[in-house]
Amino acid sequence: MIKISNIKYPLEKEITIDNLKNIVCKILKTEKNNILNIKIAKKSIDAREKRGGFYVLALDIDVKEEDKYLKIKDVTKVTPFIYDIPKKQHNKRPVIVGFGPAGLMAGLVLSRSGLNPIIIERGKSVDERKKDIDDFWENGNLDENSNVQFGEGGAGTFSDGKLTTGIKDYRCRVLLEEFVKASAPEEILYTAKPHIGTDRLITMVRNMRNEIISLGGTVLFEHKMIDLLSENNKITGVTVESLKENKVFNIETDNVILAIGHSARDTFELINSKNHPIEKKPFAVGVRIEHSQDFINKAQYGKFACYLPPADYKLAVRLPNNRGAYTFCMCPGGYVVNASSEKNRLVTNGMSYFDRGGKNANSALLIEVYPDDLDDNDMLSGVKFQRSIEEKAFIAGGNNYFAPVQKIGDILKDVKSTSIGNIEPTFKPGVTPSDFREIFPDFIYQSIKLGIIEMDKKIKGFGDENGILTAVESRSSSPIRIIRDKDSLQSLKYKGLYPCGEGCGYAGGIVSAGVDGIKCAEAIINSL
């Protein structure tokens, strides 16, 4: 197989196999009957009007006598990648705590190795979880263990399903291929900014769980780890509470992957109470910002907007106060959703379906928070800071899980919003026009304002007075890191404990969390 890179393809022209064959034959100077198969390997968009606008493609091609084409510019040989999981046997089954992307991928790898993991998840299966979330969004009935943060698939299941990542690791491809096997769209293997969407994530997660079970794994939904058991600083088991049956029991094991997610605050408290090495890390808080998707399309694509899928953006600025502000988890054609997981606290997130067909675009607008901003003597001061603004947002929204919102024009003038402009908020069950000075400390409030002003210089109209801000976005990442050895990936205190994924401070999104889950599973396999 060979690859041809840097192929420019007109935006206005439909991508078909026949059209691609014509291009390949022209580049290779060969006949169509010599082309056995064509597959898109990469696809990105260059919509800069001065350059004319085009897709940039790379194609994998099966062609007769492939070696004779290797001297042609942008043609290279493709070596198929094979990911091999060695079979192992062990008398104690590994335990995985948490069933988000990290726990899911760790469970799949350990199951395929023959180690039959036991997965503990405090939330419900993805289908039951969706019923609880829909009830919460419509009626305000919060289940603290089954919500946007907790349950099968993790927080990423009810998001845009964005699969972009900054890490360079061959396991990223392993993860994407597993997602496609489990029903994710094949285009995630080649698009520059892949996403799945909540609607397709639900099916994919269910299929992956069923495979884990078919291979000998066990998934315990509505079960919560309440203690780690150890002797001589070696893990010997976990204590588990069945939330449904209200009973407590122990599971004997010598390997635990702690894939708890960034909102497992009670588990953070448990680890801290055991004097486990923890460090505070920078995190970010802010708001969700909504514009019309039509505006974002025109701002990003110009005259090519009519040919292209809903546009996204990614902005980062250094503010005059020397604090960083950036957008995160941008959801084209998406919705701002209620992501609360604790009573009387209000949290937002963004979500899109696969078609990204909603009328609004939204993104988190986040402000950096550093350990020096918080209480030096408390390792969990970041959690307390998050909880503080979540409680104030709940009160500002009316004590009923309505979200406080403020128009951009009003926050820039330092006045309370009393009405909504021409951008209709998508948050459910409802919103309350508010004054964000009642929610955020001054350094966050002022930085949000400065961030809007600076970002408007990059996308003209980003700071339009009718844009809507919804508070608060406080769970973009974990405020702590549970320290592990960089080589063995094991805890510095307990042999056999593997802090893993986003909640433990080693990932930032679906892909990097899933990759960390694979790495921790490999570490267990290699240790046996």
Side-chain angles (χ1 to χ4, degrees), residues 3 39-42 60 81-83 105 165 167-181 186-191 511 515 518:
K3 184 189 298 293
K39 198 166 162 183
I40 299 175
K42 287 187 180 178
D60 285 342
F81 171 74
I82 298 173
Y83 179 68
M105 291 307 301
T165 181
I167 66 171
K168 305 290 184 184
D169 192 306
Y170 68 87
R171 298 176 186 86
C172 294
R173 181 71 183 191
V174 174
L175 176 141
L176 294 178
E177 289 183 352
E178 291 299 337
F179 283 7
V180 170
K181 288 178 190 175
E186 190 172 0
E187 68 181 53
I188 68 172
L189 296 175
Y190 58 79
T191 50
V511 173
V515 164
I518 295 172

Side-chain angles (χ1 to χ4, degrees), residues 233-234 274-277 483 490-495:
N233 293 329
K234 293 181 181 179
K274 292 179 173 292
N275 297 315
H276 190 287
I483 303 174
Q490 296 184 65
S491 151
L492 292 184
K493 183 168 185 178
Y494 298 114
K495 183 179 179 182

Side-chain angles (χ1 to χ4, degrees), residues 14 60 65 82 85 98 139 143 149 169 191 198 218 269 280 309 314 323 345 370 375 395 400 474 484 497 516:
E14 183 183 2
D60 285 342
E65 300 179 277
I82 298 173
I85 301 172
N139 306 308
D143 185 327
Q149 308 296 347
D169 192 306
T191 50
T198 286
T218 300
E269 291 166 356
K280 294 189 284 187
K314 185 176 182 180
R323 199 171 287 269
R345 297 187 175 111
Y370 308 113
D375 181 356
I395 294 168
N400 56 2
S474 55
R484 70 188 186 189
L497 178 65
D516 203 52

Side-chain angles (χ1 to χ4, degrees), residues 83-315:
Y83 179 68
D84 185 47
I85 301 172
K87 294 291 184 181
K88 294 282 184 174
Q89 289 184 337
H90 192 53
N91 60 349
K92 294 178 182 177
R93 299 169 70 181
V95 169
I96 300 168
V97 182
F99 206 29
L104 192 66
M105 291 307 301
L108 192 64
V109 171
L110 290 174
S111 295
R112 291 216 178 123
S113 75
L115 290 175
N116 304 331
I118 300 170
I119 300 167
I120 300 167
E121 170 54 56
R122 74 169 71 192
K124 298 180 183 178
S125 68
V126 71
D127 297 293
E128 291 300 311
R129 179 187 179 197
K130 186 177 185 305
K131 293 176 186 176
D132 292 334
I133 291 170
D134 287 342
D135 181 39
F136 178 46
W137 288 348
E138 294 297 330
N139 306 308
N141 299 319
L142 174 64
D143 185 327
E144 289 187 286
N145 290 303
S146 179
N147 46 62
V148 169
Q149 308 296 347
F150 298 133
E152 183 178 25
T157 304
F158 292 87
S159 67
D160 184 51
K162 213 176 308 297
L163 301 176
T164 50
T165 181
I167 66 171
K168 305 290 184 184
D169 192 306
Y170 68 87
R171 298 176 186 86
C172 294
R173 181 71 183 191
V174 174
L175 176 141
L176 294 178
E177 289 183 352
E178 291 299 337
F179 283 7
V180 170
K181 288 178 190 175
S183 80
E186 190 172 0
E187 68 181 53
I188 68 172
L189 296 175
Y190 58 79
T191 50
K193 299 177 181 179
H195 87 286
I196 301 177
T198 286
D199 45 343
R200 298 206 177 187
L201 271 166
I202 289 171
T203 302
M204 183 199 85
V205 167
R206 185 194 310 122
N207 290 342
M208 294 180 76
R209 175 238 303 164
N210 288 336
E211 180 175 358
I212 289 170
I213 293 172
S214 73
L215 292 169
T218 300
V219 182
L220 300 178
F221 292 116
E222 297 183 78
H223 284 71
K224 178 180 171 184
M225 185 197 75
I226 58 174
D227 202 3
L228 283 166
L229 306 177
S230 65
E231 287 182 10
N232 301 320
N233 293 329
K234 293 181 181 179
I235 289 294
T236 58
V238 293
T239 301
V240 178
E241 178 184 5
S242 171
L243 302 177
K244 199 171 185 178
E245 300 174 3
N246 195 27
K247 67 177 183 180
V248 174
F249 59 95
N250 292 336
I251 298 175
E252 187 179 348
T253 185
D254 51 9
N255 286 293
V256 174
I257 293 179
L258 205 60
I260 52 179
H262 56 44
S263 293
R265 293 165 168 173
D266 48 1
T267 311
F268 295 167
E269 291 166 356
L270 169 66
I271 297 297
N272 191 47
S273 72
K274 292 179 173 292
N275 297 315
H276 190 287
I278 292 175
E279 64 182 6
K280 294 189 284 187
K281 59 182 275 293
F283 61 103
V285 300
V287 296
R288 278 274 153 184
I289 183 167
E290 282 189 274
H291 302 90
S292 79
Q293 184 60 50
D294 185 58
F295 159 69
I296 297 297
N297 291 343
K298 290 174 180 175
Q300 296 296 80
Y301 293 149
K303 67 181 183 182
F304 302 115
C306 59
Y307 303 121
L308 295 170
D312 64 1
Y313 59 81
K314 185 176 182 180
L315 303 172

Side-chain angles (χ1 to χ4, degrees), residues 422-435:
N422 56 21
I423 305 297
E424 183 180 351
T426 54
F427 187 94
K428 291 183 179 181
V431 300
T432 303
S434 304
D435 184 343

